Amino acid sequence: QVRHRLGQLGVEIPELNYPEALREYLGRPVWRSSLDKVLWSDDLSYPVFVKPIKEKLFAGTVLRGPGDYVSRHAHCRDNEPVWVSPEIEFRAEWRVLVRYGKILDVRPYYGDWRLHFKPTVIEDAVLKYTESGEAPAAYAIDFGVNDRGRTLLVEGNDGDSTGTNRLDDVDYAKYLSARWCQLVGVDDPCHFD
């Protein structure tokens, strides 16, 4: 709904997913393709993780072979643009909420509660993204710990419509204000600490 309304205002929202400035934190190759190429490629070895480039078209999923297409993606066009990567096992994941280059909070959302991320990896990634000039005023980046104990970037999410993630009400309002104002091209009245 948020993106639909912004579209009516003529605002284009770039897809965050895998920001160029953060590629080194992925720990795996991630590339653009199309659903038909993934399903019928002779050069691709399954299983692979596939996620639509168009946000929310379908949930990112692991394809174990062409048969998965019929059951999970029959509503998609064959040439639907997708992100592709080798399957990776994340044992725990966290959402990192960032406003104007400052980490507001890190919240667990999946996996083994006994595991923990490496804080310096996340801090370095946020700093690098901020310094690149690519980072939105407010965004969420998800990090996970894989089956080898490495802290890796899962994906990025634009701050235009991420949930509260139990963030304090005032902090969340300032988070939304930062991104909304940036997108519509006005000064953020909440740009203060």
Side-chain angles (χ1 to χ4, degrees):
Q1 291 175 347
V2 170
R3 288 180 175 233
H4 176 72
R5 181 65 184 128
L6 285 166
Q8 290 175 327
L9 296 171
V11 176
E12 252 185 70
I13 304 169
E15 297 299 331
L16 228 62
N17 292 308
Y18 307 106
E20 193 60 39
L22 298 180
R23 289 256 180 203
E24 69 185 83
Y25 298 94
L26 288 167
R28 63 200 181 278
V30 176
W31 65 95
R32 289 174 179 257
S33 188
S34 63
L35 199 52
D36 58 335
K37 286 180 183 171
V38 172
L39 291 170
W40 310 116
S41 172
D42 292 333
D43 300 328
L44 193 64
S45 58
Y46 288 96
V48 293
F49 177 77
V50 176
K51 174 183 169 178
I53 291 176
K54 183 178 180 183
E55 195 169 307
K56 309 297 181 196
L57 184 62
F58 62 85
T61 188
V62 174
L63 294 179
R64 304 214 176 275
D68 280 351
Y69 177 75
V70 174
S71 61
R72 297 183 184 168
H73 307 103
H75 66 283
C76 295
R77 304 172 314 193
D78 281 347
N79 65 347
E80 188 64 49
V82 293
W83 291 106
V84 185
S85 70
E87 180 183 23
I88 188 168
E89 181 185 344
F90 284 107
R91 300 197 47 222
E93 297 179 25
W94 296 264
R95 171 148 291 173
V96 181
L97 296 163
V98 181
R99 177 178 166 262
Y100 294 121
K102 179 184 174 195
I103 297 172
L104 301 175
D105 205 350
V106 180
R107 296 285 180 158
Y109 67 86
Y110 167 80
D112 187 343
W113 61 270
R114 293 167 294 196
L115 296 177
H116 198 67
F117 55 85
K118 189 172 180 183
T120 55
V121 171
I122 294 173
E123 291 166 343
D124 290 347
V126 169
L127 180 62
K128 183 166 188 164
Y129 197 25
T130 301
E131 290 177 346
S132 76
E134 289 181 47
Y139 62 95
I141 47 176
D142 299 340
F143 276 86
V145 172
N146 73 356
D147 54 351
R148 294 181 178 162
R150 290 184 62 203
T151 299
L152 301 173
L153 177 66
V154 175
E155 66 181 1
N157 298 278
D158 201 305
D160 66 342
S161 54
T162 56
T164 66
N165 298 281
R166 299 183 313 270
L167 194 61
D168 171 80
D169 293 343
V170 172
D171 286 340
Y172 185 60
K174 293 191 309 190
Y175 172 87
L176 290 177
S177 177
R179 186 57 175 145
W180 184 267
C181 291
Q182 182 183 37
L183 286 168
V184 298
V186 298
D187 290 334
D188 179 7
C190 298
H191 194 175
F192 56 87
D193 290 328

